[in-house]
Amino acid sequence: MDLGNTSSLHQTVLQMTKTLTTTSSEVMAYEPGRGDNLPSTGTVAFTAKLNVDDSYPCHSGVLKFTTVLVNEGEGYSPDTGIFSCPVDGFYHFTVHVSVYGRGQCAIFKNREKVVSLYHTSLPDKCSQVASMSSVIKLSKQDEVWVNIWGPGRNDIFATQDNDTVFTGVRLG
């Protein structure tokens, strides 16, 4: 064996080891952008409340909860009232509605009703709370929202002392 070639080979191995060590350290320190809004903790959770000024809505369709308390993962949009799933998984959604009269709403996933509620305090007409919840399997970009039916069944309200709330959290 030629010692000159061994020395050259040794230098090459040392250089490669140094390069691999540097590259390994850079890879370990690098946190790539995932292309979604999921925080590094992996948590996806939101809680949003109905604004007092949006009480007793006169429309059908999406009920917008514009007062956002938590929006980890940025999946909930107060502008649209829709949660857009940032990462696949099982999610738990809950709705608590304050009702003074009749209230009817449902949790929808991609235009399909998942669960619904109808609550009435008639004929005595008093303030009560109705709730519904469901665990839903979602894929990225699936949409979930609270849907209301329209006049006569939208006695849903919020005050400083009574909240109407929509929450969602990714499980696991």
Side-chain angles (χ1 to χ4, degrees):
M1 183 185 276
D2 183 5
L3 288 178
N5 286 341
T6 305
S7 176
S8 176
L9 181 60
H10 180 69
Q11 289 292 23
T12 302
V13 169
L14 285 176
Q15 183 61 38
M16 289 175 72
T17 302
K18 182 178 177 185
T19 301
L20 285 173
T21 303
T22 301
T23 304
S24 172
S25 297
E26 289 171 353
V27 168
M28 295 301 286
Y30 178 63
E31 289 189 29
R34 297 160 31 129
D36 60 23
N37 294 325
L38 188 63
S40 60
T41 63
T43 301
V44 178
F46 74 92
T47 297
K49 300 188 321 182
L50 185 69
N51 188 298
V52 173
D53 296 335
D54 296 328
S55 293
Y56 304 100
C58 296
H59 69 280
S60 301
V62 179
L63 182 59
K64 295 179 186 177
F65 297 81
T66 57
T67 304
V68 177
L69 303 178
V70 174
N71 197 7
E72 192 72 22
E74 302 297 319
Y76 180 75
S77 169
D79 296 330
T80 64
I82 297 173
F83 172 78
S84 296
C85 179
V87 64
D88 296 359
F90 287 93
Y91 288 76
H92 183 253
F93 294 94
T94 303
V95 178
H96 301 289
V97 292
S98 296
V99 179
Y100 189 80
R102 287 190 186 111
Q104 185 172 14
C105 60
I107 296 175
F108 271 63
K109 172 192 170 187
N110 298 334
R111 297 190 176 113
E112 291 186 22
K113 181 173 59 171
V114 178
V115 292
S116 62
L117 70 79
Y118 174 78
H119 184 78
T120 182
S121 61
L122 298 176
D124 298 330
K125 202 167 186 181
C126 59
S127 173
Q128 297 181 352
V129 175
S131 300
M132 66 180 157
S133 67
S134 183
V135 173
I136 306 172
K137 184 176 183 179
L138 298 179
S139 297
K140 188 172 180 174
Q141 300 305 315
D142 279 345
E143 295 182 330
V144 176
W145 66 88
V146 176
N147 203 76
I148 53 177
W149 268 262
R153 295 178 278 180
N154 285 352
D155 295 331
I156 297 169
F157 72 97
T159 68
Q160 289 180 348
D161 299 322
N162 293 292
D163 291 316
T164 290
V165 181
F166 181 32
T167 66
V169 64
R170 181 172 175 256
L171 304 174

